[in-house]
Amino acid sequence: KLSLMKKFLFDLFPVLMFFITLKVAEKTASAGLWLAEIFSAVGLAVTVKPDLVPVMLATVAVIIATVIQVAWVKVKHGKVDNMLLISAALIVLLGGMTLYFQNDGFIKWKPTVLYWLFSVVLIAAELFWHKNLIKAMMGHAMELPELVWKKLNYSWAVFFILLGILNLYVAFNYSIDTWASFKLFGATGIMFVFIIVQTLMLNKYLPKEDSK
């Protein structure tokens, strides 16, 4: 349980850094000076609107945290998971565009792009290569009828599509604070609920001792 908690917190590390930096920057008068120094260090001589300073600093923080996360996995395990690399690439790309164009819309799109990419991969693997990725990940832990595996695969695909839509709705209809809170607590909570619901639905297929 402790190792699972550590992994969970490690996976959330960039999101936590974004959230914490945003909150601290909103309450720090010198946040604008920090951002100016960071921009100057990378050769960007730009003036950021005061209301965008917190989210810009938070974007810098999430990029740095992501690079650290990838580097740590590489050093620790010698190999970085493809999905982590894709997520990191999206953060660096969209985060960089956020900073360069001074438009927080780019970083707001990152979760949705990643969720929809998950969905496309799940569906494409099933349709074109007849490979159920959910079964590939979970098949060692349980035995299910093929129809159930297929339903499980598509349910995750639909879930990611809907979660991506929800992220855009919150991102572009509420404040940056609300969106940051949703990313950290809302999306994570929704995913936990979805997993619990699926576990309850699959309980009848598990051996009696496993279900307990």
Side-chain angles (χ1 to χ4, degrees):
K1 290 182 179 179
L2 184 59
S3 61
L4 286 174
M5 181 59 69
K6 286 182 178 179
K7 185 181 185 309
F8 173 70
L9 291 175
F10 180 76
D11 291 341
L12 281 181
F13 175 59
V15 180
L16 281 168
M17 290 305 298
F18 183 94
F19 182 82
I20 292 171
T21 304
L22 180 71
K23 295 298 183 181
V24 171
E26 287 176 340
K27 298 177 181 179
T28 305
S30 58
L33 294 176
W34 297 350
L35 186 62
E37 290 179 2
I38 293 172
F39 276 1
S40 177
V42 296
L44 289 177
V46 295
T47 302
V48 178
K49 297 177 182 178
D51 60 320
L52 286 177
V53 168
V55 69
M56 294 295 151
L57 274 174
T59 299
V60 172
V62 77
I63 292 174
I64 294 173
T66 300
V67 172
I68 292 173
Q69 186 182 51
V70 171
W72 174 260
V73 172
K74 178 64 176 178
V75 171
K76 188 76 173 177
H77 302 287
K79 182 181 179 181
V80 183
D81 181 74
N82 288 335
M83 293 314 299
L84 178 57
L85 285 175
I86 292 171
S87 177
L90 285 173
I91 288 176
V92 172
L93 174 62
L94 297 176
M97 293 174 71
T98 296
L99 297 173
Y100 185 82
F101 294 107
Q102 295 188 38
N103 184 339
D104 61 2
F106 292 108
I107 199 66
K108 288 177 178 179
W109 264 92
K110 184 268 169 181
T112 293
V113 173
L114 188 62
Y115 295 147
W116 287 355
L117 182 60
F118 287 159
S119 181
V120 168
V121 169
L122 289 173
I123 294 173
E126 180 77 42
L127 291 179
F128 300 111
W129 292 280
H130 306 292
K131 185 173 182 179
N132 189 309
L133 296 182
I134 299 298
K135 181 180 179 180
M137 290 186 291
M138 300 173 57
H140 67 282
M142 64 181 75
E143 293 184 8
L144 300 173
E146 284 302 318
L147 181 60
V148 176
W149 280 121
K150 184 171 290 190
K151 289 181 178 179
L152 197 61
N153 191 67
Y154 283 121
S155 68
W156 272 102
V158 172
F159 171 75
F160 282 127
I161 291 173
L162 295 177
L163 192 58
I165 293 172
L166 182 58
N167 174 71
L168 291 181
Y169 176 78
V170 175
F172 292 100
N173 287 279
Y174 294 91
S175 68
I176 190 70
D177 280 323
T178 301
W179 176 68
S181 298
F182 169 77
K183 271 211 318 173
L184 181 57
F185 304 109
T188 304
I190 290 171
M191 191 168 294
F192 269 129
V193 171
F194 182 72
I195 292 172
I196 290 171
V197 170
Q198 284 206 329
T199 301
L200 293 175
M201 293 176 64
L202 294 175
N203 193 54
K204 63 182 179 180
Y205 295 103
L206 299 176
K208 194 170 184 180
E209 61 273 13
D210 289 345
S211 67
K212 287 183 180 180

